[in-house]
Amino acid sequence: MKIQLILWTLGLMLIGIITIHQIPAIPANEDQVGQNNPFQEKCFTCHAEEVAYQEWHQSNHKQALVNLIEGKYETRDSCLGCHSAGYTQFNSGEWRTHGEQISLKTAVNAVSCSFCHLHSSTREHYLTKNPKTLCTTCHKMDCGCAGAGIIHQSQSEMFMGRLGAGVKRMPSKHSKIMKNRCIYCHMDKDTSKTVAKHGGHTFKADYSTCVRCHENMDARIQQYRETITNKMAQVKQILNVATNLESKAYQDAKLNYDMVKGDAGFGMHNPLYAQALLDYALTLEDQIVPAE
Ligand code: HEC
Ligand code: HEC
Ligand code: HEC
Ligand code: HEC
Ligand code: HEC
Ligand code: HEC
């Protein structure tokens, strides 16, 4: 009696596991279920039980639309270009046939699946862009949103070591060895197929990947952090006493400071470039600080 009960329970659990992992076949009218149409994406109708989907639910990408709308900054429809999937396609005319206007009032998607995947793509994993440039199309300082009061973070610029003032290009060494760049650390996968706390579709990176190639990275990062935050404090002091905020020297020093600060607080994605940016800013002291 007892054994039968256990066998039944095990059987039911097995059926449950199998059905959870089965994805229904693609119906004739693909657009109706939103495989190739991010207007209001319905990827969850088939993918909701997958690890990728569940991890995405823990990621900040899921909050991107809410945070934009509830944020303290001045918003405009064009912000949706990076904060809501479907906006760009709609704007370029691709989805106009769907009638409605996508605006801050009608947008429904966040940084959701269809920003990065569409079944109509011929790339691996149906990616909409080359994985090398996927993340950097949005994760950059220049968001074309001047005047809105927000400074976006600088991971792209820091990682590729570019666009700072007065310093030559200095890409992170990682940009050469990590073929898919940001994805290497931020979507690192746990092979056990469980819902991860970092990596995968949480898009979170931590320092546990470093030991694959480095020894004592914790100590080195700590050292970088100290050196860089010290230099940042020095540059900040100079910026604070500046009188001519329109001068090129001030603007250059401020740009470099913001770039370093906008990257995990101390230029984490490229500490060598971060130091070069701050060193250059320090050379501008005489031009920024008025003579007594
Ligand atoms: C009607 C069901 C259905 C819907 C809706 C659907 N998919 Fe799929 N998807 C599938 C099936 C079945 C597969 C596996 C076969 C294949 O690769 O085409 C798949 C595969 C994928 C893969 C490839 C996974 C891999 O291992 O590389 C991605 C990525 C994906 N879908 C994303 C999406 C996104 C994004 C949406 C919404 C815009 C979506 N899907 C909507 C059924 C669906
Ligand atoms: C080029 C792509 C892009 C555009 C356009 C864009 N953003 Fe963002 N936004 C991002 C990315 C990437 C992040 C996450 C990391 C960061 O802060 O840079 C973000 C984060 C945010 C956040 C949450 C973080 C915070 O600091 O509170 C707010 C709010 C925000 N953006 C507001 C806006 C507003 C307002 C606009 C339009 C005026 C806008 N964004 C346009 C890419 C963009
Ligand atoms: C910001 C971009 C981005 C978003 C948003 C995104 N993905 Fe992905 N996804 C990727 C990338 C990049 C890969 C390939 C990862 C790799 O090569 O290691 C991938 C891989 C996958 C895979 C195949 C392998 C795996 O990791 O399981 C599936 C399935 C998938 N995504 C489904 C989804 C679904 C469903 C959503 C929405 C909940 C989603 N993705 C949202 C970027 C994204
Ligand atoms: C379509 C634009 C877009 C793309 C593509 C994109 N992101 Fe994001 N990302 C955002 C926005 C917007 C946010 C801010 C969400 C929020 O907090 O409101 C964000 C947040 C994040 C965060 C959290 C940042 C924090 O401050 O906590 C990480 C990490 C991240 N993205 C990594 C990635 C990686 C890795 C990729 C490439 C696989 C990627 N993103 C692709 C727009 C994008
Ligand atoms: C796939 C191997 C690999 C992984 C994983 C890796 N690195 Fe590296 N890293 C390298 C190589 C190769 C160099 C260049 C040689 C050197 O300077 O040691 C480098 C250089 C560096 C440098 C020197 C400055 C620079 O940008 O050139 C820092 C800092 C660094 N890595 C930090 C990290 C951190 C932090 C992690 C984990 C989040 C990490 N690395 C993960 C391979 C790796
Ligand atoms: C060598 C591994 C590695 C690579 C490559 C990498 N990151 Fe990171 N990233 C990290 C680590 C580790 C952190 C966590 C920093 C922390 O916790 O202080 C991080 C933090 C972040 C954050 C959150 C920053 C914040 O201010 O809180 C974002 C967003 C981000 N990375 C985006 C990117 C983008 C975009 C790329 C590609 C241009 C990229 N990362 C490449 C390891 C990496």
Side-chain angles (χ1 to χ4, degrees), residues 21-281:
H21 282 91
Q22 239 167 22
I23 309 170
I26 301 173
N29 189 347
E30 295 186 6
D31 239 23
Q32 247 172 17
V33 291
Q35 276 171 322
N36 293 320
N37 168 16
F39 198 91
Q40 175 163 25
E41 65 174 32
K42 299 203 177 69
C43 320
F44 64 87
T45 52
C46 300
H47 291 285
E49 303 298 339
E50 281 173 33
V51 168
Y53 192 83
Q54 290 165 22
E55 286 175 341
W56 176 81
H57 268 268
Q58 302 175 12
S59 80
N60 282 353
H61 284 157
K62 191 191 171 212
Q63 314 302 335
L65 181 61
V66 173
N67 287 349
L68 169 71
I69 288 169
E70 292 179 356
K72 60 180 186 232
Y73 306 98
E74 194 187 299
T75 52
R76 52 189 86 141
D77 285 350
S78 64
C79 307
L80 296 169
C82 297
H83 284 262
S84 181
Y87 177 79
T88 305
Q89 290 93 328
F90 182 86
N91 231 26
S92 67
E94 272 180 71
W95 310 106
R96 285 277 159 89
T97 48
H98 293 275
E100 292 165 68
Q101 184 80 31
I102 294 190
S103 68
L104 285 163
K105 287 206 176 65
T106 60
V108 285
N109 299 322
V111 179
S112 35
C113 320
S114 65
F115 244 131
C116 304
H117 308 277
L118 283 178
H119 273 239
S120 54
S121 164
T122 52
R123 291 197 177 85
E124 197 187 357
H125 304 306
Y126 301 140
L127 286 175
T128 51
K129 289 203 169 68
N130 183 335
K132 249 184 157 166
T133 52
L134 178 65
C135 315
T136 52
T137 47
C138 299
H139 283 268
K140 55 185 184 188
M141 283 183 107
D142 178 15
C143 58
C145 41
I150 181 163
I151 299 178
H152 281 79
Q153 293 176 6
S154 54
Q155 292 91 24
S156 297
E157 290 83 357
M158 290 302 295
F159 190 67
M160 295 315 295
R162 58 197 280 267
L163 299 183
V167 181
K168 67 173 182 12
R169 271 190 87 135
M170 276 174 76
S172 157
K173 301 275 193 300
H174 296 155
S175 66
K176 291 230 173 57
I177 53 168
M178 295 172 184
K179 176 165 70 69
N180 287 343
R181 295 184 178 163
C182 324
I183 292 169
Y184 181 95
C185 297
H186 283 270
M187 296 190 74
D188 181 45
K189 257 197 309 259
D190 173 358
T191 45
S192 61
K193 274 270 168 200
T194 50
V195 178
K197 291 224 165 48
H198 76 93
H201 281 71
T202 68
F203 304 97
K204 290 184 179 65
D206 69 12
Y207 294 97
S208 64
T209 42
C210 318
V211 292
R212 285 181 203 160
C213 308
H214 296 289
E215 278 171 39
N216 292 330
M217 192 35 86
D218 284 356
R220 248 169 84 187
I221 284 289
Q222 187 53 36
Q223 212 177 359
Y224 277 131
R225 194 192 280 269
E226 270 165 33
T227 316
I228 292 170
T229 37
N230 276 339
K231 288 190 180 178
M232 283 173 74
Q234 289 173 43
V235 175
K236 186 90 176 81
Q237 241 170 14
I238 297 171
L239 294 175
N240 282 347
V241 296
T243 45
N244 181 2
L245 307 192
E246 302 302 321
S247 77
K248 180 161 178 350
Y250 176 84
Q251 304 256 335
D252 283 355
K254 172 98 168 54
L255 169 70
N256 287 6
Y257 178 85
D258 285 343
M259 279 179 73
V260 174
K261 186 159 194 292
D263 188 27
F266 71 103
M268 192 331 262
H269 288 98
N270 197 342
L272 302 183
Y273 187 57
Q275 295 187 46
L277 289 176
L278 296 171
D279 286 340
Y280 179 72

Side-chain angles (χ1 to χ4, degrees), residues 6-25:
I6 290 170
L7 283 178
W8 263 107
T9 328
L10 281 179
L12 282 175
M13 275 166 70
L14 198 66
I15 291 170
I17 289 169
I18 289 169
T19 37
I20 277 175
H21 282 91
Q22 239 167 22
I23 309 170

